[in-house]
Amino acid sequence: MSERSFRFSHAITREPAPSISRGLRAVDTGTPDLSVMLANHRDYIAALRSTGAEVITLAPQDAYPDSVFVEDTALCLPEGAIIMRPGAPSRLGEAAEIAPMLRVLYSEVHEITAPGHIEGGDILVTEREILVGLSERTNRAGVEQLTALTAPWGYSVRIVETPPGVLHFKTDCSLLDAETILSTRRLAASGCFHDYRVIHTAEGEDAAANTIRFNDLVLMPAGFPRTRDALVKAGYDLREIGNSECAKLDGGMSCLSLRFTPR
Ligand code: GLY
């Protein structure tokens, strides 16, 4: 079976900028500490690199406080890249900033246009389909454009719902392998993963749901011991990465990179 949804030759990250203190957040739980975030970011990049992947780290962009969350700016598939159109007004300009790098790496690059909005955090690519969660940041017009752009490459897009009050669809779930999803119980209860194997985050550990499977590793946020133990028991090779500062901005493991293998 193909493993294109979790085997990657490349990743793109962007270093956090001092303006991260003004990053968007649903609830204010304190100002992120840039030095701690930078240290965690270095650990994250080291874990990606340890799998043999090439990791491109873009310069910090102080004009965009949330620009460390580079996943929201694009969807990168083997066949081509699609520049997103973020639904948060303060993040709209981030998409244009990522485009030049993707045009170097890909011969085929498309863009989501108005009135469409879509952020990468709402997109879960599995071996058999692309799930997109409607959210405050992602609307039907955006998903319809994504569907039309990826159909010629052989993908089918399925629209799902992001739980109310949750930033992105992948805030609550992540791909662990070709058949297995890690999900909060509140998201899995919607039935959206009915034909996958589901491992639930432990009670009280919903914030552990946003992991990434990257080649042979699963990167997960540190501090969720019961979910970690369940994943170890299931046979995954885990790396725990500090996420305390990104969590203050509703960010997690997937938000911090674009992961791909350009053809
Ligand atoms: N702070 C991440 C976001 O709201 O997009």
Side-chain angles (χ1 to χ4, degrees):
M1 178 184 271
S2 158
E3 298 185 335
R4 67 182 174 181
S5 59
F6 59 90
R7 298 231 168 258
F8 306 108
S9 63
H10 287 68
I12 296 176
T13 63
R14 186 182 290 286
E15 198 173 295
S19 61
I20 196 77
S21 58
R22 303 195 305 274
L24 298 173
R25 64 206 78 178
V27 177
D28 195 354
T29 58
T31 304
D33 181 317
L34 180 62
S35 61
V36 175
M37 191 183 282
L38 280 166
N40 292 337
H41 200 249
R42 283 192 289 271
D43 292 345
Y44 179 89
I45 290 169
L48 299 181
R49 282 206 175 114
S50 75
T51 70
E54 179 180 340
V55 181
I56 300 163
T57 300
L58 302 174
Q61 281 193 315
D62 215 41
Y64 296 105
D66 287 289
S67 55
V68 67
F69 303 123
V70 70
E71 173 179 61
D72 292 316
T73 63
L75 176 66
C76 298
L77 297 167
E79 298 82 359
I82 301 170
I83 312 291
M84 300 286 106
R85 190 160 181 272
S90 68
R91 302 198 62 190
L92 253 181
E94 291 177 37
E97 297 291 339
I98 201 75
M101 176 54 67
L102 295 178
R103 291 190 197 285
V104 168
L105 292 160
Y106 280 101
S107 54
E108 209 171 330
V109 178
H110 301 280
E111 293 180 15
I112 302 294
T113 56
H117 281 294
I118 185 161
E119 295 190 357
D122 282 317
I123 304 174
L124 181 71
V125 179
T126 77
E127 287 304 317
R128 54 183 111 139
E129 61 184 341
I130 301 175
L131 292 95
V132 187
L134 298 176
S135 74
E136 295 287 314
R137 305 285 183 86
T138 293
N139 63 17
R140 276 188 191 273
V143 184
E144 281 164 12
Q145 289 181 43
L146 186 78
T147 304
L149 289 168
T150 56
W153 296 336
Y155 293 90
S156 69
V157 170
R158 177 156 63 99
I159 293 183
V160 289
E161 296 287 337
T162 301
V166 172
L167 175 59
H168 286 133
F169 182 63
K170 280 191 301 196
T171 303
D172 267 31
C173 66
S174 40
L175 184 82
L176 292 172
D177 60 40
E179 295 297 330
T180 313
I181 307 282
L182 175 67
S183 176
T184 62
R185 286 186 188 274
R186 68 184 166 197
L187 176 59
S190 71
C192 61
F193 301 129
H194 67 278
D195 51 358
Y196 291 86
R197 183 168 81 108
V198 175
I199 296 178
H200 294 111
T201 52
E203 185 77 32
E205 294 189 353
D206 284 357
N210 182 265
T211 71
I212 52 168
R213 173 73 189 266
F214 190 84
N215 298 323
D216 286 335
L217 297 182
V218 173
L219 276 60
M220 71 172 291
F224 301 100
R226 288 181 298 132
T227 303
R228 177 199 61 208
D229 291 350
L231 294 178
V232 168
K233 195 170 165 201
Y236 296 103
D237 188 358
L238 288 188
R239 293 293 179 279
E240 292 178 274
I241 307 289
N243 195 54
S244 58
E245 307 317 293
C246 289
K248 291 174 183 168
L249 304 178
D250 310 312
M253 295 294 108
S254 76
C255 316
L256 293 171
S257 61
L258 290 164
R259 304 162 296 279
F260 56 100
T261 305
R263 258 193 202 147

